[in-house]
Amino acid sequence: MRKNWSERVGFFFLILSGMLVIFILGVILFDIISKGSGSISWEFLSRPPQQGMTEGGIFPAILGTFLVSVITVLFAVPFGMFAAIYLHEYAQPGKMTRLIRLAIRNLSGVPSIVYGLFGVVLFVQMMRFGTSVLSAGLTLGLLTLPWTITACEEALKTVPKSYREGALALGATKWYTIRTNVLPYAIPGMMTGMILGLARAAGETAPILFTGAAFFLPHLPKSLFDQFMALPYHLYIMATQHHAIEKVRPLAYGTALVLLGLVLLLNISAIFVRYRFRRRMKR
Amino acid sequence: MSFKKRKSRKLKEILIEKFFFLNGVLAILILLGIFSLLFVKGFPAIRDLGFKGFFGGAVWNPNAYGTPKYGILSLIVSTLMVTVGALVIAVPLGVACAAFLSELAPPRLREILKPAVEILAGIPSVVVGFLGIVLVNPLISKIFGISHGLNALNGAILLAVMSLPTIISLSEDALIAVPHTYREASLALGANRWQTLVRVLIPSGLSGIIASVMLGMGRAIGETMTVLMATGNAPALTFNFLEAIQTMTATIAIELGEVPYNTTHYHALFVIGFVLFVMTFLVNLISDLILQKYQEVER
């Protein structure tokens, strides 16, 4: 009987910890949604901040996050895709391949603020892009690159070997095989990775602090070389830097809800794409 | 096909392969680029102040009149405090949750818990930091009877939440990878499921679990926005979890926007960045080595 006693107590704690994790997520979502939904309105989403950011909306921040994300994807997806194609289709096992994989794994562990430092030196100063949409987008592109590579490689792994062998046996060249018999089936999986990378980039703050995000701008960015407002940075300001913090708390909650909603929506759509893709592959 | 045409086709194939190879090498170039740029930009400060100027002091006050102080020990201690604090919370909770998922959870609950962990991983750090201010902050000040709760404890709690998903999902993988025969042998010998878990499954999956903890640790060390918002940002040497601290990441985030380019202070921030880079690099490398060894043993 003593044995079962230890099992019961032990398992009780395991159940408790599982519940605790769900509880933590529940508290986070409940707090943000319940206190943020009051601020959400069409005005809030479509208008710029007014009266020293104590009133009005967050439209410039939404637009800024969107613009930067576009640059991020335009940079990270092609490079990530090509690197993944090399690693999965061409690379022979050896020192070089091991080194590339080691570099990718380590890149994904580099702190985001360090990417920020790198972006300041490389894009803002050396390439003279200034603090701009372009600098911030490229910095975030570098940050998401290792994730994109890994996701694209996972997608390539799901394409059965027989697809490749069939084309090669018919005399197609390697590139022709990849282009016609591998990539079309891997694209949806790559899309999933792209969306997940986008979600990550949209929520990042540290890398854009010094590469282009602005406290407040009276006008929208007109070119890639302008500064911009961004959702996560706007939330940071509303939560810590504003002169009337208590007064703007509802606006901060509203911003947090929009940001969280955006990121979760991207995550869910990635899961959806993956699900449909899996069903199609099974058929 | 003519000989000439076949030759040009071969050439094209080789060029395409080279093109993809260059993209693969890009990752190495970026890593080297980050390393060397941080070094180059940090070096002038090391040259001016000497190693002792950074690692010999605990006072970080670059704006002091007369002799600015660049001792980064207090910043390193702060970073380690929140990291260790986070792990103390997240490791038992995360491993227990992983064990729950792999051993115990009925499929229905799994279907809830797995996406919950994924969603938790997706919450932006700035949102977590915001919750540190509006939720954890009043809670801490109430429980401990202090004027505000923006301190190391707050940062540690938030970082625990942020590193939980990493620890849970990788530890679960490690537990699932333990061969079925181990479990069956233990149960056949009369051990109950709890004993099997604690004495057989967890020790067998330990290298994977340790690797997951190291990865979570790397995330915690490098996390910026949450600690910036929730720890109070007072660069003083303390080991008290109820006092405000300032981590390495927060220092860069606060000060880089204010300093003129290419001053000693500016270069000093890159020294912090360099130290940060080396710390996370080592942590990731160790977890990598553990995982590699573990995969070899499995084979």
Side-chain angles (χ1 to χ4, degrees), chain B:
Chain B
M1 205 186 306
S2 73
F3 178 71
K4 218 172 170 186
K5 202 171 169 192
R6 201 182 297 168
K7 207 173 163 189
S8 83
R9 207 170 103 169
K10 208 166 179 190
L11 188 71
K12 190 180 147 202
E13 283 293 312
I14 291 174
L15 285 178
I16 287 170
E17 180 170 350
K18 286 273 174 291
F19 169 75
F20 285 124
F21 172 70
L22 285 180
N23 281 288
V25 172
L26 190 66
I28 301 178
L29 292 181
I30 294 171
L31 195 66
L32 286 179
I34 293 175
F35 181 85
S36 48
L37 269 188
L38 288 178
F39 185 81
V40 167
K41 285 287 166 180
F43 185 71
I46 294 273
R47 194 185 52 209
D48 291 351
L49 303 163
F51 268 104
K52 244 186 120 189
F54 286 98
F55 302 99
V59 181
W60 176 265
N61 191 357
N63 298 321
Y65 282 107
T67 48
K69 294 273 197 321
Y70 292 101
I72 62 173
L73 281 186
S74 70
L75 309 179
I76 295 179
V77 169
S78 298
T79 292
L80 292 181
M81 267 172 82
V82 285
T83 304
V84 171
L87 291 182
V88 166
I89 303 168
V91 170
L93 187 58
V95 174
C97 191
F100 175 66
L101 273 172
S102 76
E103 297 303 310
L104 208 58
R108 262 260 178 86
L109 208 54
R110 256 184 82 85
E111 305 254 299
I112 302 174
L113 195 50
K114 287 284 276 184
V117 172
E118 267 180 58
I119 293 174
L120 203 59
I123 294 178
S125 58
V126 69
V127 173
V128 178
F130 178 61
L131 290 168
I133 295 174
V134 295
L135 279 185
V136 185
N137 170 22
L139 206 67
I140 290 178
S141 81
K142 209 188 253 171
I143 292 173
F144 294 97
I146 45 183
S147 60
H148 69 82
L150 296 178
N151 51 28
L153 179 63
N154 194 333
I157 292 172
L158 298 182
L159 289 186
V161 171
M162 296 200 68
S163 48
L164 260 179
T166 313
I167 295 178
I168 293 175
S169 50
L170 291 176
S171 294
E172 195 206 349
D173 290 347
L175 286 176
I176 286 176
V178 176
H180 272 291
T181 47
Y182 287 26
R183 182 177 295 124
E184 283 151 13
S186 166
L187 291 173
L189 285 172
N192 65 29
R193 284 164 74 199
W194 172 252
Q195 288 163 330
T196 304
L197 175 69
V198 175
R199 305 218 185 128
V200 178
L201 299 181
I202 291 183
S204 311
L206 197 61
S207 44
I209 293 173
I210 292 174
S212 83
V213 171
M214 298 294 282
L215 279 183
M217 186 174 163
R219 261 200 91 169
I221 292 175
E223 183 46 56
T224 309
M225 295 318 286
T226 29
V227 288
L228 173 63
M229 294 165 87
T231 59
N233 299 322
L237 185 67
T238 175
F239 293 96
N240 185 349
F241 269 88
L242 294 178
E243 271 178 47
I245 55 158
Q246 181 171 314
T247 63
M248 299 159 73
T249 50
T251 307
I252 300 175
I254 295 168
E255 294 173 11
L256 191 66
E258 295 166 358
V259 297
Y261 288 161
N262 300 328
T263 56
T264 303
H265 186 182
Y266 173 82
H267 292 305
L269 294 176
F270 280 85
V271 175
I272 300 180
F274 187 76
V275 175
L276 205 56
F277 178 80
V278 171
M279 279 169 77
T280 49
F281 186 85
L282 289 179
V283 167
N284 285 319
L285 201 67
I286 293 170
S287 96
D288 222 54
L289 290 177
I290 294 171
L291 271 182
Q292 248 171 34
K293 210 174 152 193
Y294 156 69
Q295 277 159 356
E296 269 165 30
V297 171
E298 283 300 300
R299 258 185 249 131

Side-chain angles (χ1 to χ4, degrees), chain A residues 180-204:
Chain A
T180 58
N181 269 26
V182 178
L183 282 185
Y185 304 99
I187 291 286
M190 292 181 170
M191 287 255 301
T192 316
M194 186 190 97
I195 300 170
L196 286 177
L198 193 66
R200 237 186 88 82
E204 277 290 352

Side-chain angles (χ1 to χ4, degrees), chain A residues 3 6-7 11 17 22 28 79 82 86 90 100 102 105 109 111 113 118 121 125 173 175 205 210 253 263, chain B residues 9 13 16 20-21 23-24 37 93 96 104 113 122 131 134 190 192-193 224 253 256 261 266 270 280 284 288:
Chain A
K3 275 186 188 168
S6 77
E7 183 174 292
F11 279 9
S17 54
I22 294 180
I28 293 174
F79 285 115
F82 298 155
Y86 174 72
Y90 286 101
I100 292 175
L102 188 75
R105 277 197 301 270
I113 188 91
F118 185 61
V121 177
Q125 291 175 277
T173 63
W175 170 234
T205 322
F210 323 110
Y253 262 112
V263 170
Chain B
R9 207 170 103 169
E13 283 293 312
I16 287 170
F20 285 124
F21 172 70
N23 281 288
L37 269 188
L93 187 58
L104 208 58
L113 195 50
L131 290 168
V134 295
N192 65 29
R193 284 164 74 199
T224 309
L256 191 66
Y261 288 161
Y266 173 82
F270 280 85
T280 49
N284 285 319
D288 222 54

